[in-house]
Amino acid sequence: MLIYPSRIYGSQVAATIAAHTTSISVGMCQGYSAVLLPQLKEDANVNITTEEESWIASLGVISTPGGALIAGLASELLGRKATVQLTSVPFLVGWATIALSTNKFALCVGRFVSGLAIGMASACYIYVAEISLPNHRGFLSAFGPIFVSLGVLVVYSLGYLLYWQEVAVLCAAVAVLSFVVMHFVPESPSWLASKELVSEAKSSLTWLRRSPAMCDSELAGILQSLKVAKKQSEQGSSVCSLLKQCSSPSVWKPFFILTFFFIFQEGSGIYIVLYYAVHFFQKIGSSLDSNVASILVATVRLFMSITGAICIQHFKRKTLAMISGMGMGLSMAICGLYSYLYGHLPVEDRMYRWMPLLCVVVNVCFSMLGMLQLPWLMTGELFPLAMRGLLGGLVSSLAYLFIFGTIKIYPGMEARMDQDKVMWIFSAFSFCVVIYVKLFLPETRGKSLHEIEMKFKREDYSVKNKNFDQEAQNKTPNEVYIISRNDY
């Protein structure tokens, strides 16, 4: 039977959409504080301080690192699909707690639990990376930011029309939908093969690829990669093997590359605009109503996330990241200059009152071309199969820890600094990422996960080979043979 490419692609898209329905809940949770806090401030029965405001916003992130670690462990033990499906449970519990809350403590508990689910949702990127063909992986992985952006737009719009508890009920319904749709897609073939469930892995690949010949070839590559990893792990005890794997450049290089990439991402202010959208526009002075401005930016964000996904399919990762950082840096620098020149005046007395909103819109547009989605996408690409789930969860937990830090300190930083200085800090981090990406970020577009893993291992082998040549100069031929047999 002839298998058309559209059928192969369609199966991957269906599985990707099912996995990233969870990302809609991520976007809803991230954007919820932007509509919740202004409503709480307007409620005469609720006395909310600036400190409590920062905690309510950041509690949606403080538990997220723990959720990412749970996702990493669960991805290895239970499977990628099962972990994505289980993510819906804390989302449902968190939203239900918020919807039923009658005091600030219950509200904080709900935010904490839903934040745990955001961290667990990082498993989506690993799942999508492992079910995708190399030439489709970038585009399909970019579905995550698209669905997150959709969730942000929906929750901003609902918050403009409904009371915050009613919004929470609708968000809980989305969590139920996510749990149901994941039932109909297969488990990751790579994970099944790693658990020696070869026939199940082949069935999963058959569902995804619709081509027996393609399945056999891809499964052979996965099994070969696992065979090499198993042979390496058998050379010592489990603890020694783990330490040896962690000392390999194929592990520590991706870890540090992604960690610093996330640091620059958070320093650029991406998530501050997201979590404090309404308040942020009130502070910088927008010619539009703050709620309407937030919905406008969320709409632009959704459109640009789709554009970014298309660009990821056709342009190199490094190119997009550098263009993204440059555009973000320039837009925040101009916004800071505007605040410096006109920030002391009432909004109605300022010239070019549309300028702050335009700068934020431009900043969001450029962020969706690379800076926002690439670090998350690459957590599912750079790590070797044997440790992909665990290290992907670890790096994601660190990223969410950085997000929590920026969300928590922003109100205090804003109170102690002029708005123009805050914008210039965001600009400086954005410009720094351009240099960082040029020097350190590897190019992964069009490469299979096995090829990416082998690239780091070849670098490791080159270093070892150089050391071997130096050591062999002072050895007899027999001693050289013993060294090569033991180490290589």
Side-chain angles (χ1 to χ4, degrees):
M1 182 177 65
L2 181 64
I3 305 298
Y4 294 98
S6 59
R7 291 187 61 188
I8 299 171
Y9 196 52
S11 299
Q12 295 175 85
V13 170
T16 299
I17 290 174
H20 278 307
T21 52
T22 302
S23 295
I24 299 176
S25 293
V26 172
M28 286 178 158
C29 190
Q30 289 179 341
Y32 187 67
S33 61
V35 298
L36 169 66
L37 296 175
Q39 289 192 22
L40 290 179
K41 285 184 176 181
E42 294 173 1
D43 192 336
N45 297 320
V46 180
N47 295 317
I48 181 171
T49 65
T50 301
E51 182 68 16
E52 289 172 335
E53 177 185 353
S54 69
W55 275 113
I56 290 173
S58 60
L59 275 171
V61 190
I62 192 173
S63 56
T64 306
L69 287 175
I70 292 172
L73 293 172
S75 293
E76 296 297 337
L77 298 175
L78 304 178
R80 311 332 191 194
K81 171 190 170 180
T83 304
V84 174
Q85 193 170 26
L86 286 174
T87 301
S88 302
V89 176
F91 266 131
L92 178 59
V93 173
W95 287 122
T97 304
I98 291 171
L100 299 173
S101 62
T102 56
N103 54 63
K104 286 181 281 190
F105 176 77
L107 186 61
C108 289
V109 170
R111 290 285 291 165
F112 183 89
V113 174
S114 57
L116 195 71
I118 291 179
M120 292 181 65
S122 61
C124 295
Y125 291 92
I126 297 173
Y127 176 79
V128 172
E130 291 186 349
I131 66 167
S132 306
L133 288 169
N135 55 331
H136 298 157
R137 190 178 63 248
F139 177 71
L140 294 177
S141 295
F143 273 44
I146 292 174
F147 279 67
V148 170
S149 299
L150 176 61
V152 172
L153 175 59
V154 169
V155 82
Y156 282 178
S157 303
L158 291 175
Y160 185 59
L161 300 172
L162 302 173
Y163 194 56
W164 59 269
Q165 288 177 308
E166 296 170 328
V167 175
V169 172
L170 296 177
C171 292
V174 175
V176 175
L177 174 67
S178 301
F179 185 88
V180 173
V181 296
M182 278 304 294
H183 176 73
F184 299 100
V185 298
E187 179 58 86
S188 159
S190 297
W191 182 82
L192 290 169
S194 70
K195 301 302 177 184
E196 299 182 356
L197 301 171
V198 179
S199 60
E200 288 86 347
K202 186 172 183 178
S203 298
S204 176
L205 279 171
T206 302
W207 193 97
L208 292 165
R209 306 291 182 255
R210 309 289 180 177
S211 168
M214 186 179 290
C215 292
D216 291 339
S217 175
E218 189 170 343
L219 184 59
I222 294 172
L223 292 174
Q224 178 61 29
S225 179
L226 290 169
K227 182 179 179 181
V228 172
K230 184 178 180 181
K231 185 177 180 180
Q232 291 175 345
S233 66
E234 289 175 348
Q235 292 178 356
S237 65
S238 58
V239 175
C240 293
S241 175
L242 180 62
L243 291 174
K244 187 174 182 179
Q245 289 184 62
C246 290
S247 66
S248 170
S250 64
V251 173
W252 65 261
K253 276 190 176 180
F255 177 82
F256 284 110
I257 287 170
L258 288 172
T259 298
F260 282 101
F261 201 0
F262 274 117
I263 289 174
F264 287 118
Q265 184 200 62
E266 310 338 326
S268 68
I270 287 178
Y271 288 96
I272 288 174
V273 177
L274 177 63
Y275 277 77
Y276 292 103
V278 176
H279 173 78
F280 188 80
F281 284 114
Q282 290 172 345
K283 190 69 178 179
I284 65 174
S286 172
S287 56
L288 287 179
D289 175 82
S290 299
N291 288 285
V292 176
S294 300
I295 294 172
L296 173 63
V297 171
T299 303
V300 172
R301 175 190 167 109
L302 175 59
F303 174 77
M304 287 305 300
S305 64
I306 297 172
T307 304
I310 296 171
C311 290
I312 283 176
Q313 184 72 0
H314 295 93
F315 297 96
K316 292 182 178 181
R317 307 279 199 264
K318 291 169 72 77
T319 302
L320 288 175
M322 292 171 68
I323 292 173
S324 178
M326 186 64 69
M328 291 176 66
L330 286 172
S331 61
M332 284 293 100
I334 295 172
C335 190
L337 179 61
Y338 183 89
S339 296
Y340 177 76
L341 295 175
Y342 299 105
H344 61 285
L345 298 174
V347 176
E348 58 273 11
D349 294 337
R350 299 178 186 178
M351 296 179 64
Y352 315 114
R353 290 183 293 168
W354 42 265
M355 182 61 73
L357 177 60
L358 177 63
C359 287
V360 174
V361 169
V362 171
N363 183 270
V364 169
C365 288
F366 277 101
S367 74
M368 299 310 298
L369 289 179
M371 274 283 282
L372 192 139
Q373 67 265 53
L374 282 179
W376 298 107
L377 183 156
M378 297 180 87
T379 59
E381 288 186 336
L382 296 190
F383 292 114
L385 174 59
M387 304 187 73
R388 188 173 298 143
L390 182 62
L391 290 175
L394 178 59
V395 169
S396 296
S397 70
L398 289 174
Y400 285 120
L401 188 63
F402 302 149
I403 295 173
F404 164 73
T406 57
I407 299 303
K408 183 66 180 71
I409 68 173
Y410 174 69
M413 183 174 71
E414 183 187 59
R416 292 174 176 82
M417 299 175 65
D418 295 331
Q419 193 66 23
D420 58 295
K421 292 183 176 63
V422 175
M423 298 298 103
W424 285 333
I425 289 174
F426 295 163
S427 176
F429 270 94
S430 299
F431 284 129
C432 285
V433 81
V434 177
I435 301 171
Y436 178 78
V437 166
K438 176 66 176 177
L439 295 177
F440 300 109
L441 193 71
E443 184 55 60
T444 60
R445 177 176 172 263
K447 294 183 173 66
S448 70
L449 298 180
H450 180 67
E451 287 174 331
I452 296 169
E453 181 178 345
M454 289 299 104
K455 177 184 181 297
F456 285 113
K457 286 187 175 180
R458 280 194 296 271
E459 292 176 0
D460 185 24
Y461 178 81
S462 297
V463 173
K464 284 184 175 181
N465 200 40
K466 182 179 179 181
N467 293 337
F468 171 75
D469 290 340
Q470 292 174 347
E471 188 175 357
Q473 292 177 0
N474 299 320
K475 300 291 183 180
T476 65
N478 188 52
E479 289 173 326
V480 170
Y481 168 75
I482 294 172
I483 293 172
S484 62
R485 185 190 63 187
N486 291 339
D487 295 341
Y488 298 93

